[in-house]
Amino acid sequence: MTLYPADRLATAQKAAREAGIDALLLTPGADLRYLTGYHAHATERLTCLVLPAQGDPLLVVPVLERPMVTASPAAALGLDVVGWAETDDPYAVVAAHLHSALGRAAQRVAVGNRAWAEQVLRLQDALEDVDLGLAGPVLREMRMHKSPAEVEALRRAGQAIDRVHARMGEWLRPERTEREVGRDIAAAILAEGHVSADFTIVGSGPNGASPHHELSDRRIEYGDVVVVDIGGTTAEGYCSDNTRTYVCGGRAPAEVAEYYAVLLAAQQAATAAVAPGVTPHEVDAAARDVIAAGGYGEFFIHRTGHGIGLEGHEEPYIVAGNAEPLREGMAFSIEPGIYLPGRHGARIEDIVVCTADGAEVLNLVDRGLRVLAAS
Ligand code: ZN
Ligand code: ZN
């Protein structure tokens, strides 16, 4: 069960042919890593996988980074690698390889969705008269459908972030600032087996009503309701993302306890709705209907979830209007929230995988409104 199997390059070439695209050009990022296992650094020096619709792929890298390719899973693929020296023109290397692989000038070429504009424009110059599009639509089928090895990697990431939440009482205490708490959480995310702590949201009191609030110097007060949404990336490349809501000493305010019960029921309803053939629209509605029936509909101001894998946010998006049915192997978050502006808020988030039997929930840490001891 290999995480980065060798057949993905050929599968992507087939998808490109079916889309009528001559080649994919992939600079550092999740698409490149997905296809080759190479976790490249994005810098001003060009790294680019040249994947013609037919013919041999070529990985163009700065010569000083060649040892990193050799040390990565990409070395097992038998992929041709060319290292360009500081005074070479790597864009000309890309263009020349593409011309020789196709036996003609490339007409339609797709670049990675998150490629840097400065590199895309230089590729466009080097490829003269080329029609540029996005690689995302070509690769989305592959990326959305997680292999058993990918699900296992997401499971490990989920268990690691669960362990961080289980320790929250060590750090989340009155008198400390959100930033101090966030620093401790980030250190724990690394200690529990991630290579990066990608985000630490500690939304205390009124900040909890701002879903993407990150950290501030606000001092947490006794009895505050605190939304903690955290995640990182493991060495294997897979992401975690998990939200729990806490009460910092004392007891939950009655109003919060009331809407938290609604929120928990909504999160459970959406999770129970997951099955192959069900649409993301329907999963979103399963959560939204419960919150609306509870009287808090106007306070649930974002979609129910997002896909996750090599990127923290990727397809499929669990949002109203998305009518593309779920299939086995899709991995995504279920994260409804209720936010009362200027006062407080709550969110419950798990990562789930769609299986033949419904959702496999990858985050198992207690979903209740946990009251932490204040001292
Ligand atoms: Zn999250
Ligand atoms: Zn999320």
Side-chain angles (χ1 to χ4, degrees), residues 29-47:
D31 290 332
L32 175 62
R33 190 169 194 181
Y34 181 80
L35 292 181
T36 67
Y38 180 42
H39 177 39
H41 295 294
T43 74
E44 75 289 356
R45 291 186 176 97
L46 184 72
T47 291

Side-chain angles (χ1 to χ4, degrees), residues 30-236:
D31 290 332
L32 175 62
R33 190 169 194 181
Y34 181 80
L35 292 181
T36 67
Y38 180 42
H39 177 39
H41 295 294
T43 74
E44 75 289 356
R45 291 186 176 97
L46 184 72
T47 291
C48 184
L49 174 68
V50 185
L51 188 62
Q54 42 220 340
D56 291 333
L58 179 71
L59 184 58
V60 179
V61 299
V63 71
L64 74 163
E65 291 175 11
R66 208 179 160 136
M68 295 166 62
V69 180
T70 310
S72 82
L77 300 182
L79 180 65
D80 287 334
V81 180
V82 62
W84 59 273
E86 294 284 31
T87 55
D88 293 344
D89 176 1
Y91 298 90
V93 175
V94 170
H97 179 73
L98 210 45
H99 201 284
S100 78
L102 298 171
R104 60 174 170 78
Q107 291 168 337
R108 294 187 66 208
V109 167
V111 296
N113 288 37
R114 291 172 177 75
W116 290 6
E118 65 178 20
Q119 298 185 333
V120 172
L121 293 177
R122 291 186 69 181
L123 286 167
Q124 188 169 36
D125 276 352
L127 293 171
E128 290 175 28
D129 299 326
V130 75
D131 178 7
L132 284 187
L134 293 176
V138 180
L139 298 173
R140 67 189 292 277
E141 277 300 319
M142 295 175 71
R143 294 259 322 261
M144 273 198 295
H145 187 272
K146 267 65 181 177
S147 69
E150 289 185 277
V151 171
E152 187 55 41
L154 284 167
R155 211 178 270 132
R156 280 191 285 271
Q159 288 163 357
I161 208 71
D162 276 2
R163 290 193 295 271
V164 177
H165 268 294
R167 294 176 55 193
M168 200 55 62
E170 297 175 31
W171 316 301
L172 190 55
R173 290 194 301 271
E175 301 302 319
R176 302 195 77 204
T177 68
E178 292 174 354
R179 205 175 304 283
E180 287 165 348
V181 174
R183 259 198 293 270
D184 290 342
I185 293 172
I189 290 173
L190 299 181
E192 294 290 0
H194 290 71
V195 291
S196 63
D198 299 335
F199 57 92
T200 48
I201 294 177
V202 180
S204 68
N207 292 337
S210 167
H212 276 179
H213 172 82
E214 206 148 310
L215 297 169
S216 78
D217 292 316
R218 181 180 184 276
R219 248 173 233 293
I220 295 163
E221 293 171 18
Y222 180 84
D224 269 356
V225 177
V226 186
V227 177
V228 179
D229 184 352
I230 55 179
T233 305
T234 64
E236 298 175 308

Side-chain angles (χ1 to χ4, degrees), residues 199 229 241-243 305-306 308 312-313 333 335 347 349 351:
F199 57 92
D229 184 352
D241 185 0
N242 182 235
T243 310
H306 54 83
I308 189 167
H313 285 195
S333 68
E335 51 175 309
R347 178 162 68 255
E349 173 177 28
I351 303 304

